[in-house]
């Protein structure tokens, strides 16, 4: 179980964290570049949630770099419990943010057909940003499950 | 850990499951009674997700009744693993459905102010239904955590 892909303090763990940081940062960047995003509460919440995700994942990526350089083992139960709780909280917030934004995007693009009727709406940017938010959630859910398995096998 | 509140096959577990069933059923009932809900994809998804939640929680409530009447112990690792996975999947779907619907409700009630401008919209019904969906998610998340603790302590 020590060799689980994506475990903390490993190369694959670092890649997973950097993937989360880059997807969340890209989601924020694309949303911020879309005109009029600030009129939608859900899109502002998406930015806040992805911002928190960037901070959390970047912090853990730095910890992974430290562990890799100093060859430290990060797999003690207390530290892994902290990672599980943090991953669970950020995953929940990310899923809620991505889903609420997706609700609006589907309403505009499919239900109301506003995206073809109102050309000034940057619908494609909204869609890409939401898709990246879901990708971020999938990556953080993966991390969360890896931590859960490590915790299960370390108690 | 055998005495954990909300564990499967206990009275508190049964109450928790019945709470999930009633909240999810009430959410469906109120949403279906709101005029024009079918034009919103997110609200249809909310009904589908709450329907799945009713089925899952009702099934486990029946199992709890069986265990209570026959005095059977449901806390073996394989059964608890199944409960953890099922609870996790339904909790994720419920949160996604509640959040996507909440995104639309906030858009209509706050961002666009449609609820005060367009009197024919049953905004209060949408809001109550979404609130009940979040309550259902909170209850299923509670069940999911109880199962997680039981699993942690049974391996």
């Amino acid at each position: 179980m020590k060799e689980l892909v994506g475990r903390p303090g490993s190369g694959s763990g670092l890649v997973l964290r950097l993937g989360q940081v880059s997807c969340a940062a890209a989601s924020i960047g694309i949303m911020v570049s879309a005109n009029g995003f600030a009129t939608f509460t859900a899109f502002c919440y998406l930015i806040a949630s992805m911002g928190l995700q960037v901070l959390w994942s970047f912090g853990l990526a730095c910890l992974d770099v430290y562990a890799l350089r100093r060859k430290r083992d990060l797999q003690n139960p207390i530290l892994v419990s902290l990672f599980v709780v943090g991953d669970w909280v950020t995953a929940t917030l990310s899923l809620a943010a991505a889903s609420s934004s997706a609700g609006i995007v589907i309403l505009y693009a499919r239900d109301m057909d506003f995206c073809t009727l109102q050309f000034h709406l940057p619908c494609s940017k909204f869609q890409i940003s939401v898709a990246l938010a879901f990708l971020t959630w999938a990556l953080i859910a993966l991390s969360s499950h890896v931590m859960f398995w490590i915790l299960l096998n370390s108690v």
Side-chain angles (χ1 to χ4, degrees), chain A:
Chain A
M1 200 47 65
K2 286 253 171 190
E3 297 310 312
L4 207 68
V5 171
R7 68 192 189 281
S10 71
S12 56
L14 179 62
V15 168
L16 201 57
R17 293 294 172 190
L18 291 178
Q20 291 160 14
V21 171
S22 48
C23 284
S27 176
I28 294 173
I30 293 170
M31 187 54 86
V32 167
S33 73
N35 278 331
F37 79 91
T39 51
F40 301 90
T41 305
F43 294 162
C44 296
Y45 171 50
L46 182 85
I47 291 173
S49 171
M50 288 295 117
L52 178 71
Q53 190 63 67
V54 167
L55 288 177
W56 170 256
S57 294
F58 185 72
L60 290 201
C62 291
L63 204 63
D64 281 342
V65 170
Y66 165 81
L68 281 168
R69 291 189 71 159
R70 300 285 179 96
K71 299 198 190 326
R72 295 281 169 91
D73 183 19
L74 295 179
Q75 297 184 46
N76 75 66
I78 295 169
L79 216 53
V80 173
S81 303
L82 184 78
F83 297 156
V84 167
V85 173
D87 277 351
W88 190 83
V89 170
T90 55
T92 304
L93 293 176
S94 295
L95 177 63
S99 301
S100 57
S101 301
I104 292 177
V105 166
I106 290 170
L107 178 80
Y108 270 52
R110 194 172 167 278
D111 302 341
M112 302 293 178
D113 219 12
F114 277 176
C115 291
T116 45
L117 297 172
Q118 299 189 20
F119 296 110
H120 68 278
L121 276 174
C123 282
S124 55
K125 282 190 179 179
F126 291 156
Q127 285 166 342
I128 296 167
S129 177
V130 169
L132 282 166
F134 271 112
L135 190 58
T136 307
W137 169 72
L139 292 174
I140 190 80
L142 190 63
S143 277
S144 174
H145 277 81
V146 170
M147 297 298 171
F148 174 69
W149 275 113
I150 293 170
L151 190 63
L152 265 187
N153 287 279
S154 66
V155 289

